[in-house]
Amino acid sequence: RVDGSILANGGGGTGYQAGSGSGGSIAIDAPVLRGTGVIGADGGAFEVGGSGGRVHITYDALGQSGDDLNATLNIHAFGGHGNSAAGGAGTVLLRQRAQTLGDLYVDDNMTSATAPVWTPLLSVGYGRIATLTDDTLTLDNGVALMPGGLVGGEINPNLAQGQTFVVIANTDTAITVDTSGGTPLSAVAQVGDVCSGVYAFDNVYFRRGGYLVVGDKLAVNGLLQIQEKGRLDHFPATVTWEPRLDLTVDTLTLAADSTISGSASPSRLAT
């Protein structure tokens, strides 16, 4: 149980306009998630705030009410709200072992407003395949990829079909996928096909002003709940990239004080 604090918080900057540290990463695997303490990977909050980090917890059972880390509200990766500028919140993924994907929480500890800075999910971006081999492709959309940042994620190399591939490596321009299942990329896609990343979760919860920005398909098998001044949006368009807000959800609840914004480019919502 957690009655104290497990923290990977960023440090505060020192000096005028100093940047604060971002939150780190916490990974926990436990049979029971319970207690009254705090699990946090928050950004530093002096002068220029640092971004929140990442928390990933796998568990079998959650404690009873009053012994469940304040209904999991005490598990967070807040952005640092510095005096000069804020950092964006990180993400919390809680997966009960019986779940396939887990639940994503977008939360920035805002009591009466939407977070001032978004939480981004790293994006492949919708684009056409420019080059293709059996296990590697590049796109024509000009989206700058963070080397290694897509590893473990999924892409669909041809949106006219449904097979996805797990990314095992990426440079700033090329994406290499796992083809050990026997199907090469060239069997389902060709140069010119539209490709995108795919983010999939069991449920997604926005709370306390959470603000999420996506550039790839977002699939939610259960509930997408946007409340407490939450906001879901897509990345801004560029000269070479027209982002989309492409959602496939089973159940959507959108509170009156919250927003889904897709006005900057074509968007599609499937429920």
Side-chain angles (χ1 to χ4, degrees), residues 178-191:
D178 181 4
T179 57
S180 61
T183 302
L185 286 173
S186 56
V188 297
Q190 60 185 353
V191 171

Side-chain angles (χ1 to χ4, degrees), residues 4 13 17 35 56 98 106 140-141 155 169 173 188 202 215 219 242-243 262 268:
Q17 294 288 312
H56 183 188
V106 186
D140 68 351
N141 58 13
I155 66 166
T173 58
V188 297
D202 284 303
E242 184 179 82
R268 180 171 65 86

Side-chain angles (χ1 to χ4, degrees), residues 11-13 18-22 43-52 79-88 117:
S20 299
S22 60
F46 182 79
E47 289 291 331
V48 177
S51 61
H81 298 165
N83 299 326
S84 300
V117 180

